[in-house]
Amino acid sequence: NAGVTQTPKFQVLKTGQSMTLQCAQDMNHEYMSWYRQDPGMGLRLIHYSVGAGITDQGEVPNGYNVSRSTTEDFPLRLLSAAPSQTSVYFCASSRERPNYGYTFGSGTRLTVV
Amino acid sequence: GNSVTQMEGPVTLSEEAFLTINCTYTATGYPSLFWYVQYPGEGLQLLLKATKADDKGSNKGFEATYRKETTSFHLEKGSVQVSDSAVYFCALSSIGNQFYFGTGTSLTVIP
């Protein structure tokens, strides 16, 4: 099925470890974003990309890196995991601009101990 | 700046009751407004949207009208079902490719 695929679904990390959350979409969407979802805080934008080779910071970018080498893939890297990064992470994509509405992945639940 | 404020939850309703979830926004320019729904263990799904003032978005029996004069986009449904139990997010997109979500309102519908 067409859509946004995130891997892994669950992950436990130790403080200080690094890892990459994978996101891939097969809809040829130009616009991709990463959000984190925390109780009582809704979704907060981490990083976004308007096309291959172009990325920009969102509301809460510290501690995360992204790259966009292809239209399909938009990985999120945690450089040195901290307990404050325990959250559910969602990748989303949209045709051109978010005014068209996002398609979300099913999320990655990350716990940092 | 841009922001979205939703009514606090959780909301518990009996089946066939009328639903209203309030949403107000602050934005520069003329944003587009959205409602997303998140079922347990899943990502968010677009429920409906409106791109200009007085537009009404509708889907699956849900409706919301873009009210510029009151900066509101309240979600309504005339008769809820158990399958409507989910978390509902109001959101806006503004110039500069930014998307802003409310904190979400949890709805539980009991038979």
Side-chain angles (χ1 to χ4, degrees):
Chain A
N1 290 337
V4 178
T5 303
Q6 290 184 239
T7 56
K9 291 191 181 301
F10 302 94
Q11 183 71 48
V12 178
L13 287 180
K14 294 182 178 179
T15 298
Q17 287 185 317
S18 62
M19 78 160 294
T20 299
L21 279 61
Q22 302 291 344
C23 175
Q25 52 90 11
D26 58 2
M27 299 171 285
N28 202 31
H29 283 174
E30 290 295 321
Y31 199 97
M32 296 185 75
S33 299
W34 276 102
Y35 287 87
R36 59 177 290 172
Q37 183 180 27
D38 301 294
M41 302 189 74
L43 280 80
R44 292 181 291 171
L45 181 64
I46 304 171
H47 286 284
Y48 66 98
S49 169
V50 300
I54 306 169
T55 63
D56 205 349
Q57 296 181 351
E59 180 184 358
V60 288
N62 291 341
Y64 308 94
N65 273 355
V66 292
S67 60
R68 185 94 180 270
S69 56
T70 66
T71 298
E72 294 78 19
D73 299 301
F74 191 44
L76 178 72
R77 298 182 186 84
L78 278 69
L79 308 173
S80 177
S84 61
Q85 294 178 304
T86 294
S87 187
V88 181
Y89 291 84
F90 288 100
C91 180
S93 73
S94 174
R95 179 167 63 98
E96 296 180 21
R97 293 183 298 115
N99 274 358
Y100 290 94
Y102 273 124
T103 298
F104 279 83
S106 57
T108 296
R109 184 173 294 274
L110 175 68
T111 302
V112 182
V113 298
Chain B
N2 298 310
S3 65
V4 174
T5 302
Q6 285 183 239
M7 66 182 285
E8 294 286 331
V11 174
T12 302
L13 294 174
S14 297
E15 206 165 23
E16 299 184 2
F18 184 86
L19 168 71
T20 299
I21 300 178
N22 290 337
C23 171
T24 57
Y25 69 89
T26 302
T28 53
Y30 302 94
S32 293
L33 301 174
F34 303 82
W35 277 101
Y36 280 83
V37 59
Q38 184 180 31
Y39 299 103
E42 299 184 10
L44 279 71
Q45 302 174 24
L46 178 63
L47 181 61
L48 54 85
K49 69 176 183 178
T51 57
K52 61 182 186 297
D54 300 325
D55 268 3
K56 176 184 283 188
S58 61
N59 186 26
K60 299 181 181 179
F62 291 89
E63 292 183 340
T65 301
Y66 187 165
R67 302 284 189 199
K68 193 173 190 305
E69 63 277 12
T70 56
T71 62
S72 65
F73 193 55
H74 305 322
L75 182 69
E76 297 181 335
K77 187 175 185 183
S79 176
V80 294
Q81 305 301 312
V82 172
S83 57
D84 293 328
S85 298
V87 180
Y88 292 82
F89 291 89
C90 186
L92 71 84
S93 71
S94 68
I95 57 174
N97 294 322
Q98 294 289 350
F99 216 77
Y100 299 85
F101 286 90
T103 54
T105 301
S106 175
L107 170 66
T108 300
V109 180
I110 55 177

